[in-house]
Amino acid sequence: MSILDQIYAKAKENPQKVAFPEAANEKMMQAAYEAGRDGYIVPILVGNAERLKALCAERGYDPAAFTFVDMDDEAYKSKVVAAYVAREDTLLKEKALRRRIQDPLYYAMAMQKVGEASVTFAGIDNTTGDVLLAGQMMIGLQPGISTVSSIGLCDIPGFQGSEGSLLAIGDSAVCTNPTPEQLADIGISACETVKSLLDWEPRCAFVCYSTLGSGQGELIDKVTEAVKIAQEKRPDLLIDGEFQFDAAISPQVAAKKVKRESKVAGRANVIIWPDLNVGNVGVKLIQQFGHADAYGPMLQGFNAVVCDCSRGAPVSEIKGNIIISAVRAAGMNR
Amino acid sequence: MDRKELEQKILELVAVAYKKDIADLSLSTSFKNDLQGASVQMVALVAEIENETDASITLQDAAACQTIEDLVNAVEAEL
């Protein structure tokens, strides 16, 4: 059973409510419909319910597969607003909130914040920046986490790592040039993401061009500082470094290069790149030379699951990302 | 709210969002060079501006402000 099949099976065991603020979009509606019809999620379409129902009929979808939330339904809106402003961990007061939730993206996230949905899924009509900013304002970041970031999950044919052919890598998409504090938070968030999605015990390696002092320089200093911060913040997690990539994932190389006890070296299942240059090149190398399937990017660091999909993504990929998000949400709620 | 009141209000909100003493802030304070905040602090600041004034400023516009004075101008334009 492939990793995606395993994730799909988990989604079916506990379907989560997913809010779609861009449901009028044809690809988004189809992906939401298929994921709902097949029992992976409970799709909630947010917008003008009458128009959404008409589009649904026009496109030949059974409306019974969806829950419709009409943004003009004052009673429901007031219920969401009251629940939102009553929370201590929200930023907006009622007047400002009512202004913001005229935008479906913000409306969906307000619903998510008050428990009416487990995931907000967007990114077709809104840019990544729109989704990230709305997420920070409406959902907020995890306590102690200073930055939004992302990880991807690579399924690499022929790779025999500590999780078989799978390796989680981050951040290859969001945080351009993280400070040591931000890099530490990326590693911590990545550990939480793989725990919630895959039930792994994360073994997280911070990589660069040096293994435990074999090289010197400011690029390495940033990584060693990040490892120290992450270890201090979360001593319960297996986080280690700095390692070269091969020392992180290969037991043979680790045996030669890592001359101290490490539960991570040679068996890392989560790799943290030092910056986005490395992350972007790294994931392309894995895809091009390793012929890997790369799933994600999965946004992390938020208090709940916020998902941004690629505008050019085909329906099958959108559907996959919806289901992955739902499983993460179920994992976070456990 | 006149310009002076708005300037004072924004300085107060910046001080809270960035955990600074208001005495250390001025209109020429630079977000990037002097405050060095993360985006999460700018988000909190924009939310507080929306709560405390009737301005609905976009996060992108706020993030584009170099100084506190730029932010005051952006908020004033929305009032």
Side-chain angles (χ1 to χ4, degrees), chain A residues 91-97 99-100 106 127 129-130 133-134 136-138 141 145-147 182, chain B residues 38-60:
Chain A
L91 292 171
L92 295 176
K93 293 179 183 168
E94 179 167 352
K95 195 173 170 187
L97 176 63
R99 269 200 307 260
R100 279 279 171 195
Y106 285 79
T127 66
D130 293 336
L133 292 170
Q136 288 182 71
M137 181 171 274
M138 302 300 291
L141 299 186
I145 295 295
S146 62
T147 187
Q182 289 173 324
Chain B
S39 69
V40 65
Q41 286 163 309
M42 181 57 86
V43 170
L45 175 59
V46 169
E48 276 307 308
I49 289 170
E50 293 192 20
N51 288 334
E52 299 297 324
T53 72
D54 280 333
S56 190
I57 179 173
T58 69
L59 291 157
Q60 289 90 337

Side-chain angles (χ1 to χ4, degrees), chain A residues 140-143 145 147-149 185 189 193 299-304 328:
Chain A
L141 299 186
Q142 291 265 345
I145 295 295
T147 187
V148 177
S149 58
D185 287 350
S189 295
T193 303
L299 296 180
Q300 57 180 18
F302 291 112
N303 256 325
R328 282 181 64 199

Side-chain angles (χ1 to χ4, degrees), chain A:
Chain A
M1 196 189 245
S2 77
I3 184 63
L4 213 50
D5 290 337
Q6 290 173 40
I7 291 171
Y8 277 35
K10 277 174 81 174
K12 268 194 174 171
E13 286 169 14
N14 184 13
Q16 299 290 302
K17 291 180 184 173
V18 180
F20 293 92
E22 301 167 337
N25 179 280
E26 197 165 353
K27 284 200 293 187
M28 194 63 95
M29 187 180 273
Q30 185 182 342
Y33 178 74
E34 290 181 10
R37 177 200 60 194
D38 298 345
Y40 298 116
I41 62 161
V42 178
I44 304 173
L45 309 192
V46 180
N48 178 321
E50 205 174 310
R51 176 163 175 258
L52 290 173
K53 282 176 186 170
L55 285 171
C56 185
E58 201 177 286
R59 293 168 183 167
Y61 303 135
D62 178 2
F66 297 120
T67 300
F68 294 90
V69 166
D70 188 355
M71 288 172 59
D72 292 327
D73 178 346
E74 274 306 321
Y76 183 75
K77 189 192 287 182
S78 293
K79 179 182 143 191
V80 170
V81 167
Y84 188 94
V85 297
R87 294 181 64 103
E88 286 181 0
D89 61 344
T90 52
L91 292 171
L92 295 176
K93 293 179 183 168
E94 179 167 352
K95 195 173 170 187
L97 176 63
R98 282 186 177 273
R99 269 200 307 260
R100 279 279 171 195
I101 64 173
Q102 290 168 20
D103 179 334
L105 178 62
Y106 285 79
Y107 196 108
M109 287 187 183
M111 287 171 53
Q112 183 184 359
K113 188 71 181 176
V114 303
E116 294 283 307
S118 299
V119 177
T120 297
F121 195 92
I124 289 268
D125 298 333
N126 290 281
T127 66
T128 298
D130 293 336
V131 175
L132 294 180
L133 292 170
Q136 288 182 71
M137 181 171 274
M138 302 300 291
I139 304 291
L141 299 186
Q142 291 265 345
I145 295 295
S146 62
T147 187
V148 177
S149 58
S150 75
I151 64 163
L153 182 63
C154 298
D155 191 351
I156 310 158
F159 174 57
Q160 292 177 320
S162 61
E163 305 292 347
S165 59
L166 299 177
L167 187 67
I169 57 171
D171 177 354
S172 302
V174 175
C175 202
T176 317
N177 189 15
T179 62
E181 291 76 15
Q182 289 173 324
L183 194 57
D185 287 350
I186 293 170
I188 292 167
S189 295
C191 291
E192 296 297 345
T193 303
V194 300
K195 274 202 282 187
S196 65
L197 179 67
L198 302 159
D199 300 324
W200 288 355
E201 180 188 37
R203 291 179 299 278
C204 176
F206 283 59
V207 299
C208 61
Y209 70 87
S210 165
T211 298
L212 300 179
S214 66
Q216 276 94 39
E218 59 182 332
L219 298 178
I220 297 168
D221 293 344
K222 177 172 106 167
V223 177
T224 55
E225 179 68 12
V227 171
K228 192 165 159 251
I229 294 167
Q231 288 173 335
E232 282 172 7
K233 277 175 99 167
R234 290 295 301 272
D236 57 310
L237 296 172
L238 294 177
I239 291 174
D240 207 352
E242 91 285 355
F243 298 137
Q244 287 159 287
F245 182 71
D246 53 358
I249 61 163
S250 161
Q252 293 78 18
V253 177
K256 283 183 193 161
K257 292 187 175 179
V258 179
K259 300 296 183 193
R260 66 155 167 75
E261 178 79 12
S262 172
K263 290 181 175 167
V264 175
R267 337 179 31 233
N269 51 16
V270 180
I271 296 293
I272 301 301
W273 312 118
D275 62 44
L276 196 51
N277 266 330
V278 181
N280 185 269
V281 173
V283 73
K284 305 291 181 201
L285 288 172
I286 292 170
Q287 285 175 309
Q288 292 293 318
F289 293 150
H291 307 291
D293 288 325
Y295 303 104
M298 294 173 255
L299 296 180
Q300 57 180 18
F302 291 112
N303 256 325
V305 178
V306 171
C307 201
D308 171 54
C309 69
S310 164
R311 286 184 210 206
V315 170
S316 58
E317 191 178 316
I318 297 173
K319 182 180 170 189
N321 278 322
I322 292 168
I323 296 166
I324 286 172
S325 307
V327 172
R328 282 181 64 199
M332 280 176 88
N333 292 334
R334 271 202 299 272

